[in-house]
């Protein structure tokens, strides 16, 4: 991409700067300008906005949504977003939208890390859908994708009208250029891009790989803490939102727009990253998962996995959320007289799990970084034989789980599978073999 005039957005005002500036907080009322005086004072739609800019409102929720849930921002840009040619349908590639080709599978599923393909691919071209549920039209459900990219998006931008996008790099860092500013996101971090936001993904190395959760339902919010108290889990102050940055450039740019499950393209005659100032709470953000404040038992047994919830898209307090996003970072384990690895369990919700780095504590082998698993509603799962036997006799001293960073997505709705995921060479057809060989000990417990 061409160099941006980011003014106050970076230390030296250049797109290539290694250190960006951010505003802390999640869902805050932000106000930021890349050029002093670009924000109008006391109103959003003056007859003549400062610096000859256009005032543009983005409403991401109902106009009459409760104040605490309402998401909207005013953008002050060089050209209005209406400056675009007609849209035409383009091929969706390997990006799928529910309903998917194969229904929910009742058994355990596991995939090794997806290898990088040799063909040049940017973020859009490299998207591969694994599973999903619901639909964008019903505004419920979610989808899980893998992305693989070996080139940056050049003169190409993406927007998703179907859902917000939670992007988790697993290998290789990204610079994400958005209408509202720039984000640098690397392995161990995630970024949350709101529905409808235009953005471009640049890779900073030779290639990049990671995961995407596309949320069709209510926007992600921080979960209520209840008896935990006023702070803990993913603290609002540790979320970072970009400051205003803009590019004033003419030239052909392809806008790829996802709408109702399909990809559409339109040609722009200028860069859409021309927002000189903005204010509001509809904005992208990022979070370092190593800053997640872990809660856990100080006596015996396992608390529920809800203690790892970083973000939630609400649905039903009883049946479960539309989707919960869990973070399992390095942490201390101190439970006494307790089998410490995750135990055997069946849940009313579906669980998708992936390993960012290190090792997973309930899988002794065959699950390197980049691997992922899916256990649909009521599918039994738990530690493999080797982990179980080691956990029964382990010395129960305080233990630090250092080399591990795992995320998990839980949803009340059964997850359908794409045909590509089920037939992929990366699928581990023998994943249930790790649960063979358990030795019954009843009644002698020997």
């Amino acid at each position: 991409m061409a160099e941006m005039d980011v003014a106050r957005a970076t230390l030296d005002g250049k797109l290539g700067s290694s250190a960006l500036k951010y505003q802390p907080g999640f869902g805050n009322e932000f106000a930021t300008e890349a050029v002093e005086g670009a924000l109008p004072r006391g109103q959003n739609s003056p007859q003549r906005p400062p610096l000859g800019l256009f005032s543009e409102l983005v409403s991401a929720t109902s106009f009459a949504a409760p104040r605490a849930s309402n998401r909207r921002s005013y953008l002050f840009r060089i050209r209005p977003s209406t400056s675009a040619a007609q849209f035409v349908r383009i091929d969706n590639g390997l990006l799928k939208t529910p309903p998917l080709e194969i229904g929910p599978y009742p058994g355990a599923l596991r995939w090794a890390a997806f290898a990088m393909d040799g063909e040049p691919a940017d973020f859009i071209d490299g998207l591969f859908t694994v599973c999903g549920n619901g639909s964008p039209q019903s505004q419920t459900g979610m989808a899980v994708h893998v992305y693989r990219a070996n080139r940056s998006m050049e003169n190409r931008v993406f927007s998703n009208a179907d859902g917000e996008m939670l992007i988790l790099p697993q290998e290789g860092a990204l610079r994400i250029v958005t209408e509202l500013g720039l984000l640098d996101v690397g392995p161990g971090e995630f970024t949350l891009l709101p529905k409808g936001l235009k953005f471009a993904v640049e890779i900073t190395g030779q290639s990049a790989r990671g995961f995407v959760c596309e949320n069709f339902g209510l926007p992600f919010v921080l979960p209520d803490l209840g008896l935990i108290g006023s702070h803990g889990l993913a603290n609002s102050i540790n979320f970072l939102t970009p400051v205003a940055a803009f590019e004033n450039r003419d030239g052909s740019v392809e806008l790829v727009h996802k709408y109702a499950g399909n990809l559409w393209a339109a040609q722009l005659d200028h860069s859409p990253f021309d927002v000189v100032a903005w204010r509001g709470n509809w904005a992208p953000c990022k979070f370092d998962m190593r800053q997640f404040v872990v809660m856990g038992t100080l006596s015996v047994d396992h608390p529920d996995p809800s203690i790892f919830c970083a973000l939630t898209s609400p649905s039903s307090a009883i049946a479960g959320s539309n989707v919960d996003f869990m973070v399992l970072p390095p942490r201390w384990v101190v439970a006494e007289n307790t089998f410490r690895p995750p135990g055997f369990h069946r849940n009313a919700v579906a669980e998708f799990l992936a390993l960012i780095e290190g090792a997973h504590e309930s899988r002794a082998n065959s699950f390197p970084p980049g691997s992922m698993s899916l256990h649909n509603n009521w599918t039994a799962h738990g530690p493999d034989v080797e982990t179980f036997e080691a956990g029964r006799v382990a010395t129960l001293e305080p233990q630090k789980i250092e080399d591990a960073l795992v995320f998990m997505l839980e949803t009340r709705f059964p997850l359908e599978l794409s045909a590509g995921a089920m037939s992929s060479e990366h699928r581990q057809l023998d994943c249930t073999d790790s649960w063979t060989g358990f030795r019954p000990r009843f009644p002698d417990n020997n």
Side-chain angles (χ1 to χ4, degrees):
M1 296 185 60
E3 185 174 275
M4 281 184 128
D5 176 6
V6 294
R8 300 176 183 174
T10 68
L11 294 181
D12 62 5
K14 305 298 182 182
L15 180 60
S17 171
S18 61
L20 302 180
K21 288 185 177 180
Y22 300 96
Q23 308 170 90
F26 183 87
N28 291 22
E29 290 293 325
F30 295 105
T32 173
E33 53 188 11
V35 175
E36 188 174 357
L39 281 173
R41 302 299 186 244
Q43 63 178 124
N44 292 311
S45 300
Q47 185 179 23
R48 300 178 65 179
L51 307 181
L53 299 172
F54 291 86
S55 174
E56 181 176 286
L57 171 64
V58 180
S59 296
T61 54
S62 164
F63 298 125
R67 185 184 294 262
S69 304
N70 205 304
R71 296 199 182 184
R72 71 285 171 273
S73 287
Y74 264 94
L75 283 51
F76 300 92
R77 59 194 319 148
I78 298 171
R79 304 167 188 81
S81 292
T82 52
S83 303
Q86 293 292 317
F87 279 97
V88 295
R89 277 274 287 113
I90 62 174
D91 188 77
N92 291 342
L94 297 176
L95 177 62
K96 309 293 183 181
T97 298
L100 299 178
E101 304 97 327
I102 298 177
Y105 178 76
L109 293 166
R110 191 178 298 178
W111 295 266
F114 277 47
M116 288 296 304
D117 291 333
E119 295 297 320
D122 63 18
F123 176 82
I124 300 174
D125 297 331
L127 286 168
F128 179 100
T129 301
V130 178
C131 57
N133 53 31
S135 75
Q137 287 92 324
S138 67
Q139 297 184 16
T140 186
M142 45 88 81
V144 180
H145 318 284
V146 173
Y147 72 83
R148 294 168 292 175
N150 53 20
R151 69 178 181 187
S152 298
M153 292 171 60
E154 297 181 358
N155 295 317
R156 197 181 198 201
V157 301
F158 186 53
S159 65
N160 190 342
D162 287 348
E164 61 183 342
M165 299 183 75
L166 180 67
I167 301 176
L168 299 106
Q170 187 270 317
E171 187 175 281
L174 307 176
R175 169 156 289 186
I176 301 180
V177 183
T178 82
E179 294 178 270
L180 305 189
L182 288 73
L183 296 143
D184 280 342
V185 188
E189 298 178 307
F190 67 78
T191 183
L192 183 61
L193 305 180
K195 182 186 295 188
L197 179 77
K198 297 183 183 74
F199 67 93
V201 177
E202 300 180 349
I203 63 172
T204 60
Q206 294 297 313
S207 62
R209 178 179 66 198
F211 305 93
V212 177
C213 172
E214 184 183 11
N215 173 26
F216 308 134
L218 292 176
F220 276 118
V221 295
L222 298 178
D224 290 332
L225 295 178
L227 295 177
I228 291 175
S230 60
H231 55 277
L233 307 184
N235 285 321
S236 175
I237 194 65
N238 291 326
F239 285 82
L240 300 176
T241 293
V243 297
F246 70 94
E247 178 180 55
N248 187 7
R249 178 175 65 86
D250 292 324
S252 180
V253 176
E254 182 188 32
L255 168 61
V256 178
H257 187 62
K258 186 172 186 287
Y259 183 70
N262 290 313
L263 295 185
W264 299 77
Q267 292 299 315
L268 308 178
D269 62 4
H270 65 281
S271 168
F273 304 128
D274 62 351
V275 177
V276 181
W278 61 271
R279 64 161 63 103
N281 63 4
W282 176 84
C285 62
K286 75 167 191 171
F287 182 84
D288 187 337
M289 291 185 281
R290 289 156 291 220
Q291 293 181 322
F292 185 86
V293 181
V294 180
M295 302 290 166
T297 183
L298 295 177
S299 56
V300 298
D301 292 346
H302 283 272
D304 291 325
S306 51
I307 62 167
F308 296 108
C309 187
L311 297 170
T312 182
S313 168
S315 178
S316 167
I318 305 301
S321 297
N322 181 67
V323 56
D324 284 333
F325 171 64
M326 316 286 193
V327 174
L328 287 76
R331 60 199 181 276
W332 281 97
V333 180
V334 299
E336 300 175 321
N337 192 31
T338 297
F339 180 80
R340 289 179 175 177
F344 301 104
H345 58 290
R346 292 178 292 164
N347 294 338
V349 295
E351 295 183 1
F352 175 92
L353 179 147
L355 182 62
I356 298 293
E357 60 186 37
H360 189 269
E361 59 184 311
S362 70
R363 293 162 192 177
N365 48 52
S366 302
F367 203 77
S371 300
M372 51 189 169
S373 66
L374 171 61
H375 300 100
N376 251 317
N377 317 58
W378 302 107
T379 299
H381 52 291
D384 58 29
V385 174
E386 184 176 343
T387 300
F388 175 76
E389 294 296 342
R392 289 186 78 251
V393 298
T395 302
L396 297 182
E397 298 175 342
Q399 172 194 4
K400 180 72 178 290
I401 298 176
E402 301 239 39
D403 186 25
L405 182 56
V406 175
F407 78 87
M408 186 165 65
L409 298 164
E410 289 189 352
T411 172
R412 61 179 289 202
F413 307 109
L415 283 164
E416 303 165 358
L417 280 299
S418 72
M422 288 297 277
S423 62
S424 171
E425 61 180 333
H426 306 294
R427 182 183 166 195
Q428 298 178 341
L429 298 175
D430 60 350
C431 67
T432 58
D433 290 354
S434 63
W435 291 318
T436 59
F438 286 110
R439 180 165 60 89
R441 292 177 166 85
F442 178 83
D444 299 325
N445 192 28
N446 54 18

